Amino acid sequence: MVQTKKMNESFFAKLLKETNVSGELIRARQDEKQGLLNEFDSECKRFFFGKISERALVSSVKKTNAELHRLDSEIRRNVTRARNLTDKTAKLTSAQAPHGFRATLSGITIRGAKKKPVKKKPVKKKVVKKKSIKKKPVRKKRKK
């Protein structure tokens, strides 16, 4: 009896749900980052108009930079997680590509199930070491 491959739908649904969660986390952290930037911009304006001291602004700069770094690393981590989840989803769905079956008088056959040609390995040639040829000394002819 010939059977087709069934997709694990619960695993697929879980992957989609986790991908949606990652996307929502990315969006939430980006909104949080934008709010932080707007807040810092307003503090810079307050400093410009003399409502807060320079020490207060320096303190705010340190805190803002630390928070921006935290948010950026969390966004990067969620982007990587979403990419990995979508890769798994793509592998799962591509494994569901249909196999071609054909009904014949002798039964069901799989279309396109041809044997792969056997590749012949190239014959390794022996490495031949050439012997150095000794030159015969040239004799000078004597004059008589």
Side-chain angles (χ1 to χ4, degrees):
M1 182 172 171
V2 180
Q3 289 185 345
T4 59
K5 205 175 200 180
K6 291 187 180 181
M7 182 162 70
N8 187 347
E9 292 180 30
S10 63
F11 182 63
F12 184 71
K14 180 183 172 192
L15 287 175
L16 287 178
K17 194 179 291 186
E18 288 181 24
T19 306
N20 286 336
V21 168
S22 291
E24 288 173 7
L25 281 172
I26 291 168
R27 189 180 68 229
R29 296 303 170 254
Q30 287 173 338
D31 291 344
E32 193 176 337
K33 184 177 176 181
Q34 187 60 51
L36 185 67
L37 292 172
N38 292 343
E39 189 177 311
F40 182 74
D41 192 42
S42 68
E43 284 194 35
C44 286
K45 287 179 184 175
R46 289 177 65 206
F47 169 72
F48 180 75
F49 291 117
K51 297 193 178 187
I52 60 171
S53 67
E54 187 175 350
R55 277 181 73 188
L57 185 63
V58 168
S59 171
S60 179
V61 166
K62 288 180 182 177
K63 288 178 184 177
T64 303
N65 283 335
E67 189 68 15
L68 285 172
H69 179 70
R70 182 189 69 81
L71 289 171
D72 284 345
S73 63
E74 196 167 332
I75 289 170
R76 264 190 233 99
R77 188 174 34 246
N78 281 309
V79 166
T80 303
R81 184 169 180 250
R83 186 181 313 114
N84 290 340
L85 288 168
T86 53
D87 288 347
K88 285 180 185 178
T89 307
K91 285 180 185 176
L92 183 66
T93 54
S94 65
Q96 303 305 312
H99 295 287
F101 292 103
R102 185 179 181 116
T104 61
L105 292 175
S106 60
I108 296 175
T109 59
I110 300 175
R111 238 186 312 163
K114 296 178 184 175
K115 290 184 179 179
K116 292 182 182 177
V118 178
K119 292 183 181 178
K120 293 182 180 178
K121 293 181 183 177
V123 178
K124 291 184 180 178
K125 295 181 180 178
K126 290 184 179 179
V127 179
V128 178
K129 292 183 181 178
K130 292 184 178 180
K131 293 181 180 178
S132 60
I133 301 171
K134 293 183 181 178
K135 293 184 178 180
K136 292 181 181 177
V138 179
R139 294 185 183 179
K140 293 183 183 178
K141 292 184 179 179
R142 292 186 187 174
K143 290 184 182 179
K144 291 188 181 180

